[in-house]
Amino acid sequence: MACTLLFSRRLTKTSVCLLSLFLSYVGYCTLFHGDPLMLLASGDPEPICGRQTLTDGACASAAPPHAEASRMKTAEGPPSAALHARGHTPGPPLGHAKYGNKKLPKAVIVGVKKGGTRAVLEFIRIHPDVRAAGTETHFFDRHYDRGLEWYRGLMPRTLEGQITMEKTPSYFVTKETPQRIAAMSRDTKLIVVVRDPVTRAISDYTQTLSKTPDLPSFQELAFRNQSAGLVDASWNAIRIGLYSLHLENWLRYFALTQIHFVSGERLITDPASELARVQDFLGLKRIVTDKHFYFNRTKGFPCLKKPESSGSPRCLGKSKGRTHVQIDRDAIEQLRDFYRPFNVKFYEMVGHDFKWE
């Protein structure tokens, strides 16, 4: 009104109205949002808070797209309203009653490579109370510096009563892994799939050869001096089979009762019995039984029978059940002599004779 009286002789009614509206806008913004001219001139977005807060309970400034995506991967609470304001369609949060929660694993298949770990994982995950990460995470041996929250983000969602699992076979032979898993939880249940170390070494070599055709012969890699019977235990394919040495490291942090050993041989000939023991160890009802398996003669390996929701049975990939490279009989006998004392000690440690002779 004061402005109207002041400029009534110089301004038109339209100009007066526009001037009044502008002054009202400036006053409103000053009271509730700070300096409107500074906001318009600045490229910084206004802090936005929705009905739901971030994990720390505080209102946070909207971030650039790349930072916003990073926050979505790690946030534990419901998504920020700022994301909805930008047209994003985020997935369900890590913790949600309907979708379940992402939890650290209660059981880990820690080894061994070429022992049958993929088979155990695929067989046990058909149990309705088991959810497992599909790929090997390698958290405890390669990505430990990323932290447990990163690791938890790799896990599937589980509902109340379900068990989260993962498998990374290299854990069993990595020196730092037992201590790191114990630091996560000393109640973690560990599963180790073991196999005749000589057969396992040949299988390991066969897989590597399929990827590296110019690889030296098995005997060249396995022996420092074959005529003298000197085995090269530094070669990874040989070293993995020294189960008793690796187990000693694990028993420094876990009781033997927390480690379950699966026979890789029996997993082929009698998968239902081996899975029954795994289910008992995990405290699960025996739901995976012999009715779930059939023997695939072409692969020489058991497969899962056709689920009602699928058009075909489920078998492991082409790399499983691969025909092994033929190794000289004398070399095999030399390796058996080398492994014998380690095998005997392993049998004594676990209280079971796997009969690898």
Side-chain angles (χ1 to χ4, degrees):
M1 180 63 72
C3 293
T4 303
L5 293 174
L6 181 62
F7 297 108
S8 59
R9 296 181 181 181
R10 298 182 183 181
L11 302 177
T12 64
K13 291 183 178 180
T14 302
S15 299
V16 170
C17 290
L18 291 175
L19 180 60
S20 298
L21 288 173
F22 176 73
L23 292 174
S24 299
Y25 170 73
V26 171
Y28 175 82
C29 291
T30 301
L31 289 173
F32 297 101
H33 293 278
D35 189 346
L37 299 179
M38 290 298 293
L39 287 173
L40 292 173
S42 171
D44 295 331
E46 177 74 2
I48 302 173
C49 281
R51 297 178 182 178
Q52 297 167 323
T53 62
L54 300 178
T55 54
D56 59 1
C59 175
S61 298
H66 66 276
E68 199 164 61
S70 176
R71 185 169 66 237
M72 282 301 296
K73 291 181 181 179
T74 57
E76 294 303 312
S80 168
L83 296 179
H84 297 291
R86 287 167 172 73
H88 291 275
T89 307
L94 294 184
H96 195 286
K98 179 179 179 181
Y99 301 102
N101 301 314
K102 289 198 171 191
K103 301 176 183 177
L104 293 171
K106 291 186 177 180
V108 181
I109 301 174
V110 297
V112 299
K113 179 184 179 185
K114 306 309 295 179
T117 58
R118 172 55 60 179
V120 171
L121 183 71
E122 293 302 318
F123 294 165
I124 193 60
R125 73 192 305 183
I126 68 174
H127 196 293
D129 291 334
V130 172
R131 297 297 309 281
T135 59
E136 296 174 7
T137 70
H138 285 281
F139 172 67
F140 293 103
D141 60 351
R142 299 180 187 175
H143 305 297
Y144 192 64
D145 59 334
R146 297 196 178 194
L148 286 174
E149 287 307 299
W150 178 85
Y151 181 49
R152 187 159 71 97
L154 302 178
M155 297 299 115
R157 299 178 185 279
T158 53
L159 300 173
E160 189 67 30
Q162 290 183 318
I163 292 177
T164 303
M165 292 183 64
E166 76 117 325
K167 78 106 178 171
T168 302
S170 56
Y171 287 165
F172 188 65
V173 298
T174 304
K175 182 179 179 180
E176 299 80 10
T177 299
Q179 183 179 11
R180 291 172 175 178
I181 294 181
M184 175 183 73
S185 174
R186 287 190 175 272
D187 294 327
T188 304
K189 293 187 175 183
L190 308 169
I191 297 175
V192 186
V193 189
V194 290
R195 183 184 187 185
D196 180 340
V198 177
T199 307
R200 197 222 65 81
I202 297 172
S203 178
D204 198 339
Y205 174 79
T206 301
Q207 182 183 56
T208 305
L209 185 65
S210 69
K211 301 175 182 178
T212 313
D214 58 346
L215 198 67
S217 70
F218 179 86
Q219 285 90 326
E220 289 179 79
L221 295 171
F223 295 93
R224 292 181 178 178
N225 186 329
Q226 186 176 358
S227 60
L230 296 177
V231 176
D232 188 355
S234 67
W235 183 34
N236 200 46
I238 296 296
R239 186 178 67 89
I240 291 174
L242 301 174
Y243 303 142
S244 61
L245 297 184
H246 303 304
L247 181 57
E248 286 178 347
N249 188 34
W250 286 88
L251 292 179
R252 293 172 58 196
Y253 302 95
F254 292 94
L256 187 63
T257 54
Q258 282 180 250
I259 308 175
H260 178 71
F261 298 91
V262 176
S263 167
E265 287 80 17
R266 284 181 57 84
L267 188 63
I268 296 175
T269 60
D270 192 2
S273 294
E274 286 302 309
L275 264 293
R277 296 185 183 94
V278 171
Q279 291 170 94
D280 291 346
F281 173 68
L282 295 176
L284 300 171
K285 182 179 179 181
R286 288 190 178 185
I287 291 179
V288 183
T289 63
D290 55 358
K291 69 179 182 181
H292 290 92
F293 302 98
Y294 79 96
F295 191 80
N296 185 310
R297 296 187 181 279
T298 302
K299 293 183 69 67
F301 207 85
C303 296
L304 294 170
K305 291 182 179 178
K306 181 178 69 173
E308 294 180 1
S309 59
S310 173
S312 60
R314 289 169 51 189
C315 284
L316 299 178
K318 294 180 180 179
S319 64
K320 309 302 179 182
R322 183 191 287 116
T323 301
H324 290 176
V325 173
Q326 292 299 312
I327 305 298
D328 178 74
R329 173 54 58 181
D330 290 338
I332 292 177
E333 290 304 319
Q334 286 175 308
L335 287 176
R336 292 205 181 282
D337 291 340
F338 167 77
Y339 277 119
R340 187 170 291 110
F342 296 100
N343 291 344
V344 170
K345 184 176 181 180
F346 180 66
Y347 300 162
E348 293 173 350
M349 293 174 73
V350 303
H352 180 77
D353 185 349
F354 288 90
K355 303 184 185 303
W356 291 325
E357 290 295 336

